[in-house]
PDB file of all heavy atoms in Angstrom:
ATOM      1  N   VAL A   1     106.540  91.210 124.459  1.00  0.00           N
ATOM      2  CA  VAL A   1     106.506  91.708 123.077  1.00  0.00           C
ATOM      3  C   VAL A   1     107.864  91.524 122.502  1.00  0.00           C
ATOM      4  O   VAL A   1     108.882  91.810 123.099  1.00  0.00           O
ATOM      5  CB  VAL A   1     106.137  93.207 123.079  1.00  0.00           C
ATOM      6  CG1 VAL A   1     106.227  93.763 121.697  1.00  0.00           C
ATOM      7  CG2 VAL A   1     104.779  93.460 123.685  1.00  0.00           C
ATOM      8  N   SER A   2     107.883  90.996 121.292  1.00  0.00           N
ATOM      9  CA  SER A   2     109.157  90.855 120.540  1.00  0.00           C
ATOM     10  C   SER A   2     109.415  92.079 119.741  1.00  0.00           C
ATOM     11  O   SER A   2     108.540  92.598 119.064  1.00  0.00           O
ATOM     12  CB  SER A   2     109.006  89.632 119.603  1.00  0.00           C
ATOM     13  OG  SER A   2     110.103  89.612 118.714  1.00  0.00           O
ATOM     14  N   CYS A   3     110.615  92.586 119.831  1.00  0.00           N
ATOM     15  CA  CYS A   3     111.013  93.784 119.078  1.00  0.00           C
ATOM     16  C   CYS A   3     112.187  93.423 118.189  1.00  0.00           C
ATOM     17  O   CYS A   3     113.232  93.011 118.669  1.00  0.00           O
ATOM     18  CB  CYS A   3     111.386  94.929 120.012  1.00  0.00           C
ATOM     19  SG  CYS A   3     110.095  95.379 121.117  1.00  0.00           S
ATOM     20  N   ALA A   4     111.993  93.534 116.871  1.00  0.00           N
ATOM     21  CA  ALA A   4     113.075  93.185 115.973  1.00  0.00           C
ATOM     22  C   ALA A   4     113.151  94.282 114.918  1.00  0.00           C
ATOM     23  O   ALA A   4     112.153  94.814 114.476  1.00  0.00           O
ATOM     24  CB  ALA A   4     112.775  91.865 115.285  1.00  0.00           C
ATOM     25  N   PRO A   5     114.369  94.639 114.478  1.00  0.00           N
ATOM     26  CA  PRO A   5     114.509  95.655 113.457  1.00  0.00           C
ATOM     27  C   PRO A   5     114.031  95.073 112.128  1.00  0.00           C
ATOM     28  O   PRO A   5     113.922  93.846 111.921  1.00  0.00           O
ATOM     29  CB  PRO A   5     116.051  95.910 113.399  1.00  0.00           C
ATOM     30  CG  PRO A   5     116.676  94.715 114.009  1.00  0.00           C
ATOM     31  CD  PRO A   5     115.668  94.128 114.986  1.00  0.00           C
ATOM     32  N   ALA A   6     113.731  95.955 111.187  1.00  0.00           N
ATOM     33  CA  ALA A   6     113.285  95.527 109.882  1.00  0.00           C
ATOM     34  C   ALA A   6     114.336  94.655 109.221  1.00  0.00           C
ATOM     35  O   ALA A   6     115.529  94.983 109.321  1.00  0.00           O
ATOM     36  CB  ALA A   6     112.959  96.753 109.041  1.00  0.00           C
ATOM     37  N   GLU A   7     113.941  93.611 108.565  1.00  0.00           N
ATOM     38  CA  GLU A   7     114.821  92.710 107.880  1.00  0.00           C
ATOM     39  C   GLU A   7     115.238  93.303 106.526  1.00  0.00           C
ATOM     40  O   GLU A   7     114.499  94.089 105.889  1.00  0.00           O
ATOM     41  CB  GLU A   7     114.165  91.381 107.632  1.00  0.00           C
ATOM     42  CG  GLU A   7     113.793  90.651 108.857  1.00  0.00           C
ATOM     43  CD  GLU A   7     114.890  89.859 109.480  1.00  0.00           C
ATOM     44  OE1 GLU A   7     115.775  89.359 108.709  1.00  0.00           O
ATOM     45  OE2 GLU A   7     114.956  89.738 110.695  1.00  0.00           O
ATOM     46  N   GLU A   8     116.389  92.924 106.028  1.00  0.00           N
ATOM     47  CA  GLU A   8     116.833  93.316 104.690  1.00  0.00           C
ATOM     48  C   GLU A   8     115.827  92.855 103.691  1.00  0.00           C
ATOM     49  O   GLU A   8     115.289  91.754 103.766  1.00  0.00           O
ATOM     50  CB  GLU A   8     118.227  92.627 104.457  1.00  0.00           C
ATOM     51  CG  GLU A   8     118.930  93.176 103.238  1.00  0.00           C
ATOM     52  CD  GLU A   8     119.473  94.548 103.482  1.00  0.00           C
ATOM     53  OE1 GLU A   8     119.760  94.922 104.601  1.00  0.00           O
ATOM     54  OE2 GLU A   8     119.639  95.268 102.511  1.00  0.00           O
ATOM     55  N   GLY A   9     115.450  93.706 102.784  1.00  0.00           N
ATOM     56  CA  GLY A   9     114.533  93.321 101.729  1.00  0.00           C
ATOM     57  C   GLY A   9     113.088  93.648 102.054  1.00  0.00           C
ATOM     58  O   GLY A   9     112.212  93.430 101.230  1.00  0.00           O
ATOM     59  N   GLU A  10     112.812  94.132 103.266  1.00  0.00           N
ATOM     60  CA  GLU A  10     111.399  94.499 103.566  1.00  0.00           C
ATOM     61  C   GLU A  10     111.056  95.800 102.900  1.00  0.00           C
ATOM     62  O   GLU A  10     111.911  96.539 102.462  1.00  0.00           O
ATOM     63  CB  GLU A  10     111.250  94.630 105.114  1.00  0.00           C
ATOM     64  CG  GLU A  10     111.219  93.311 105.816  1.00  0.00           C
ATOM     65  CD  GLU A  10     110.803  93.504 107.257  1.00  0.00           C
ATOM     66  OE1 GLU A  10     110.037  94.434 107.574  1.00  0.00           O
ATOM     67  OE2 GLU A  10     111.221  92.710 108.094  1.00  0.00           O
ATOM     68  N   ALA A  11     109.783  96.082 102.820  1.00  0.00           N
ATOM     69  CA  ALA A  11     109.318  97.320 102.159  1.00  0.00           C
ATOM     70  C   ALA A  11     110.019  98.517 102.730  1.00  0.00           C
ATOM     71  O   ALA A  11     110.285  98.590 103.944  1.00  0.00           O
ATOM     72  CB  ALA A  11     107.821  97.456 102.300  1.00  0.00           C
ATOM     73  N   SER A  12     110.346  99.484 101.879  1.00  0.00           N
ATOM     74  CA  SER A  12     111.070 100.662 102.354  1.00  0.00           C
ATOM     75  C   SER A  12     110.126 101.762 102.842  1.00  0.00           C
ATOM     76  O   SER A  12     110.570 102.725 103.429  1.00  0.00           O
ATOM     77  CB  SER A  12     111.968 101.214 101.245  1.00  0.00           C
ATOM     78  OG  SER A  12     111.170 101.595 100.151  1.00  0.00           O
ATOM     79  N   HIS A  13     108.834 101.632 102.578  1.00  0.00           N
ATOM     80  CA  HIS A  13     107.853 102.608 103.015  1.00  0.00           C
ATOM     81  C   HIS A  13     106.848 101.960 103.917  1.00  0.00           C
ATOM     82  O   HIS A  13     106.409 100.870 103.628  1.00  0.00           O
ATOM     83  CB  HIS A  13     107.184 103.273 101.844  1.00  0.00           C
ATOM     84  CG  HIS A  13     108.042 104.262 101.107  1.00  0.00           C
ATOM     85  ND1 HIS A  13     108.204 105.569 101.594  1.00  0.00           N
ATOM     86  CD2 HIS A  13     108.805 104.175 100.065  1.00  0.00           C
ATOM     87  CE1 HIS A  13     109.045 106.210 100.806  1.00  0.00           C
ATOM     88  NE2 HIS A  13     109.400 105.366  99.870  1.00  0.00           N
ATOM     89  N   PRO A  14     106.432 102.617 104.978  1.00  0.00           N
ATOM     90  CA  PRO A  14     105.384 102.093 105.864  1.00  0.00           C
ATOM     91  C   PRO A  14     104.052 102.157 105.208  1.00  0.00           C
ATOM     92  O   PRO A  14     103.877 102.824 104.178  1.00  0.00           O
ATOM     93  CB  PRO A  14     105.471 103.022 107.082  1.00  0.00           C
ATOM     94  CG  PRO A  14     105.923 104.315 106.506  1.00  0.00           C
ATOM     95  CD  PRO A  14     106.900 103.935 105.403  1.00  0.00           C
ATOM     96  N   PRO A  15     103.103 101.452 105.796  1.00  0.00           N
ATOM     97  CA  PRO A  15     101.742 101.523 105.224  1.00  0.00           C
ATOM     98  C   PRO A  15     101.156 102.922 105.457  1.00  0.00           C
ATOM     99  O   PRO A  15     101.618 103.630 106.325  1.00  0.00           O
ATOM    100  CB  PRO A  15     100.971 100.483 106.066  1.00  0.00           C
ATOM    101  CG  PRO A  15     101.714 100.456 107.353  1.00  0.00           C
ATOM    102  CD  PRO A  15     103.161 100.677 106.976  1.00  0.00           C
ATOM    103  N   GLY A  16     100.184 103.274 104.695  1.00  0.00           N
ATOM    104  CA  GLY A  16      99.422 104.491 104.957  1.00  0.00           C
ATOM    105  C   GLY A  16     100.049 105.741 104.413  1.00  0.00           C
ATOM    106  O   GLY A  16     100.611 105.758 103.335  1.00  0.00           O
ATOM    107  N   PRO A  17     100.000 106.817 105.235  1.00  0.00           N
ATOM    108  CA  PRO A  17     100.385 108.160 104.708  1.00  0.00           C
ATOM    109  C   PRO A  17     101.832 108.209 104.207  1.00  0.00           C
ATOM    110  O   PRO A  17     102.667 107.402 104.588  1.00  0.00           O
ATOM    111  CB  PRO A  17     100.230 109.037 105.955  1.00  0.00           C
ATOM    112  CG  PRO A  17      99.316 108.316 106.855  1.00  0.00           C
ATOM    113  CD  PRO A  17      99.561 106.850 106.590  1.00  0.00           C
ATOM    114  N   SER A  18     102.099 109.176 103.355  1.00  0.00           N
ATOM    115  CA  SER A  18     103.432 109.359 102.832  1.00  0.00           C
ATOM    116  C   SER A  18     104.389 109.757 103.947  1.00  0.00           C
ATOM    117  O   SER A  18     103.982 110.067 105.045  1.00  0.00           O
ATOM    118  CB  SER A  18     103.422 110.424 101.772  1.00  0.00           C
ATOM    119  OG  SER A  18     103.143 111.703 102.361  1.00  0.00           O
ATOM    120  N   ASP A  19     105.656 109.787 103.627  1.00  0.00           N
ATOM    121  CA  ASP A  19     106.630 110.117 104.643  1.00  0.00           C
ATOM    122  C   ASP A  19     106.818 111.627 104.796  1.00  0.00           C
ATOM    123  O   ASP A  19     107.954 112.063 105.143  1.00  0.00           O
ATOM    124  CB  ASP A  19     107.928 109.382 104.443  1.00  0.00           C
ATOM    125  CG  ASP A  19     108.390 109.316 103.032  1.00  0.00           C
ATOM    126  OD1 ASP A  19     107.593 108.911 102.175  1.00  0.00           O
ATOM    127  OD2 ASP A  19     109.532 109.651 102.766  1.00  0.00           O
ATOM    128  N   THR A  20     105.825 112.453 104.577  1.00  0.00           N
ATOM    129  CA  THR A  20     105.964 113.890 104.740  1.00  0.00           C
ATOM    130  C   THR A  20     106.192 114.229 106.235  1.00  0.00           C
ATOM    131  O   THR A  20     106.689 115.272 106.552  1.00  0.00           O
ATOM    132  CB  THR A  20     104.723 114.666 104.224  1.00  0.00           C
ATOM    133  OG1 THR A  20     103.597 114.175 104.881  1.00  0.00           O
ATOM    134  CG2 THR A  20     104.589 114.574 102.726  1.00  0.00           C
ATOM    135  N   ALA A  21     105.841 113.285 107.123  1.00  0.00           N
ATOM    136  CA  ALA A  21     106.074 113.506 108.537  1.00  0.00           C
ATOM    137  C   ALA A  21     107.549 113.631 108.868  1.00  0.00           C
ATOM    138  O   ALA A  21     107.945 114.250 109.806  1.00  0.00           O
ATOM    139  CB  ALA A  21     105.467 112.395 109.363  1.00  0.00           C
ATOM    140  N   GLU A  22     108.375 113.069 107.979  1.00  0.00           N
ATOM    141  CA  GLU A  22     109.820 113.162 108.196  1.00  0.00           C
ATOM    142  C   GLU A  22     110.462 114.254 107.338  1.00  0.00           C
ATOM    143  O   GLU A  22     111.442 114.881 107.716  1.00  0.00           O
ATOM    144  CB  GLU A  22     110.459 111.832 107.927  1.00  0.00           C
ATOM    145  CG  GLU A  22     110.117 110.817 108.975  1.00  0.00           C
ATOM    146  CD  GLU A  22     110.829 109.526 108.808  1.00  0.00           C
ATOM    147  OE1 GLU A  22     111.761 109.397 108.000  1.00  0.00           O
ATOM    148  OE2 GLU A  22     110.429 108.609 109.512  1.00  0.00           O
ATOM    149  N   THR A  23     109.943 114.515 106.168  1.00  0.00           N
ATOM    150  CA  THR A  23     110.561 115.467 105.269  1.00  0.00           C
ATOM    151  C   THR A  23     110.061 116.868 105.547  1.00  0.00           C
ATOM    152  O   THR A  23     110.754 117.821 105.216  1.00  0.00           O
ATOM    153  CB  THR A  23     110.288 115.135 103.821  1.00  0.00           C
ATOM    154  OG1 THR A  23     108.872 115.227 103.559  1.00  0.00           O
ATOM    155  CG2 THR A  23     110.803 113.745 103.472  1.00  0.00           C
ATOM    156  N   GLY A  24     108.868 117.047 106.097  1.00  0.00           N
ATOM    157  CA  GLY A  24     108.344 118.374 106.361  1.00  0.00           C
ATOM    158  C   GLY A  24     108.025 119.141 105.120  1.00  0.00           C
ATOM    159  O   GLY A  24     108.043 120.370 105.154  1.00  0.00           O
ATOM    160  N   ALA A  25     107.768 118.495 104.014  1.00  0.00           N
ATOM    161  CA  ALA A  25     107.561 119.123 102.723  1.00  0.00           C
ATOM    162  C   ALA A  25     106.392 120.122 102.738  1.00  0.00           C
ATOM    163  O   ALA A  25     105.309 119.834 102.373  1.00  0.00           O
ATOM    164  CB  ALA A  25     107.306 118.069 101.652  1.00  0.00           C
ATOM    165  N   ALA A  26     106.691 121.340 103.188  1.00  0.00           N
ATOM    166  CA  ALA A  26     105.715 122.450 103.188  1.00  0.00           C
ATOM    167  C   ALA A  26     104.413 122.102 103.905  1.00  0.00           C
ATOM    168  O   ALA A  26     103.354 122.541 103.520  1.00  0.00           O
ATOM    169  CB  ALA A  26     105.473 122.938 101.767  1.00  0.00           C
ATOM    170  N   GLU A  27     104.508 121.283 104.912  1.00  0.00           N
ATOM    171  CA  GLU A  27     103.329 120.895 105.707  1.00  0.00           C
ATOM    172  C   GLU A  27     103.284 121.692 106.993  1.00  0.00           C
ATOM    173  O   GLU A  27     104.290 122.060 107.567  1.00  0.00           O
ATOM    174  CB  GLU A  27     103.398 119.409 106.049  1.00  0.00           C
ATOM    175  CG  GLU A  27     103.304 118.469 104.864  1.00  0.00           C
ATOM    176  CD  GLU A  27     101.867 118.273 104.355  1.00  0.00           C
ATOM    177  OE1 GLU A  27     100.934 118.689 105.041  1.00  0.00           O
ATOM    178  OE2 GLU A  27     101.724 117.687 103.304  1.00  0.00           O
ATOM    179  N   THR A  28     102.079 121.928 107.472  1.00  0.00           N
ATOM    180  CA  THR A  28     101.931 122.589 108.779  1.00  0.00           C
ATOM    181  C   THR A  28     102.224 121.624 109.887  1.00  0.00           C
ATOM    182  O   THR A  28     102.130 120.397 109.695  1.00  0.00           O
ATOM    183  CB  THR A  28     100.491 123.135 108.947  1.00  0.00           C
ATOM    184  OG1 THR A  28      99.623 122.041 109.017  1.00  0.00           O
ATOM    185  CG2 THR A  28     100.132 124.083 107.822  1.00  0.00           C
ATOM    186  N   PRO A  29     102.595 122.074 111.082  1.00  0.00           N
ATOM    187  CA  PRO A  29     102.802 121.178 112.212  1.00  0.00           C
ATOM    188  C   PRO A  29     101.540 120.334 112.485  1.00  0.00           C
ATOM    189  O   PRO A  29     101.681 119.154 112.790  1.00  0.00           O
ATOM    190  CB  PRO A  29     103.116 122.131 113.372  1.00  0.00           C
ATOM    191  CG  PRO A  29     103.691 123.312 112.749  1.00  0.00           C
ATOM    192  CD  PRO A  29     102.959 123.439 111.414  1.00  0.00           C
ATOM    193  N   GLU A  30     100.402 120.926 112.354  1.00  0.00           N
ATOM    194  CA  GLU A  30      99.145 120.187 112.605  1.00  0.00           C
ATOM    195  C   GLU A  30      98.962 119.056 111.625  1.00  0.00           C
ATOM    196  O   GLU A  30      98.589 117.944 111.996  1.00  0.00           O
ATOM    197  CB  GLU A  30      97.933 121.173 112.536  1.00  0.00           C
ATOM    198  CG  GLU A  30      97.944 122.196 113.639  1.00  0.00           C
ATOM    199  CD  GLU A  30      98.865 123.408 113.386  1.00  0.00           C
ATOM    200  OE1 GLU A  30      99.456 123.530 112.308  1.00  0.00           O
ATOM    201  OE2 GLU A  30      99.007 124.243 114.318  1.00  0.00           O
ATOM    202  N   ARG A  31      99.228 119.292 110.329  1.00  0.00           N
ATOM    203  CA  ARG A  31      99.132 118.244 109.310  1.00  0.00           C
ATOM    204  C   ARG A  31     100.141 117.147 109.553  1.00  0.00           C
ATOM    205  O   ARG A  31      99.852 115.979 109.383  1.00  0.00           O
ATOM    206  CB  ARG A  31      99.222 118.855 107.918  1.00  0.00           C
ATOM    207  CG  ARG A  31      99.033 117.864 106.806  1.00  0.00           C
ATOM    208  CD  ARG A  31      97.619 117.302 106.757  1.00  0.00           C
ATOM    209  NE  ARG A  31      97.736 115.854 106.603  1.00  0.00           N
ATOM    210  CZ  ARG A  31      96.891 114.945 107.049  1.00  0.00           C
ATOM    211  NH1 ARG A  31      95.841 115.285 107.716  1.00  0.00           N
ATOM    212  NH2 ARG A  31      97.100 113.687 106.851  1.00  0.00           N
ATOM    213  N   LEU A  32     101.372 117.546 109.900  1.00  0.00           N
ATOM    214  CA  LEU A  32     102.432 116.544 110.185  1.00  0.00           C
ATOM    215  C   LEU A  32     102.064 115.683 111.394  1.00  0.00           C
ATOM    216  O   LEU A  32     102.350 114.514 111.428  1.00  0.00           O
ATOM    217  CB  LEU A  32     103.755 117.266 110.383  1.00  0.00           C
ATOM    218  CG  LEU A  32     104.321 117.976 109.124  1.00  0.00           C
ATOM    219  CD1 LEU A  32     105.512 118.835 109.523  1.00  0.00           C
ATOM    220  CD2 LEU A  32     104.627 116.992 108.071  1.00  0.00           C
ATOM    221  N   ALA A  33     101.446 116.309 112.402  1.00  0.00           N
ATOM    222  CA  ALA A  33     101.042 115.524 113.585  1.00  0.00           C
ATOM    223  C   ALA A  33      99.922 114.551 113.212  1.00  0.00           C
ATOM    224  O   ALA A  33      99.979 113.355 113.670  1.00  0.00           O
ATOM    225  CB  ALA A  33     100.554 116.493 114.661  1.00  0.00           C
TER     226      ALA A  33
END
């Protein structure tokens, strides 16, 4: 498997759910999981 860090200029957000998993914006542990 090749592992490479994200290149400069790539999208700043991953696909799918918002990044509340990192900010913890009033979310329950269950919802964050």
Side-chain angles (χ1 to χ4, degrees):
V1 177
S2 168
C3 301
E7 297 277 330
E8 192 72 27
E10 285 191 29
S12 61
H13 285 279
S18 68
D19 41 309
T20 57
E22 290 185 10
T23 64
E27 295 280 350
T28 66
E30 294 81 6
R31 183 65 225 150
L32 294 171

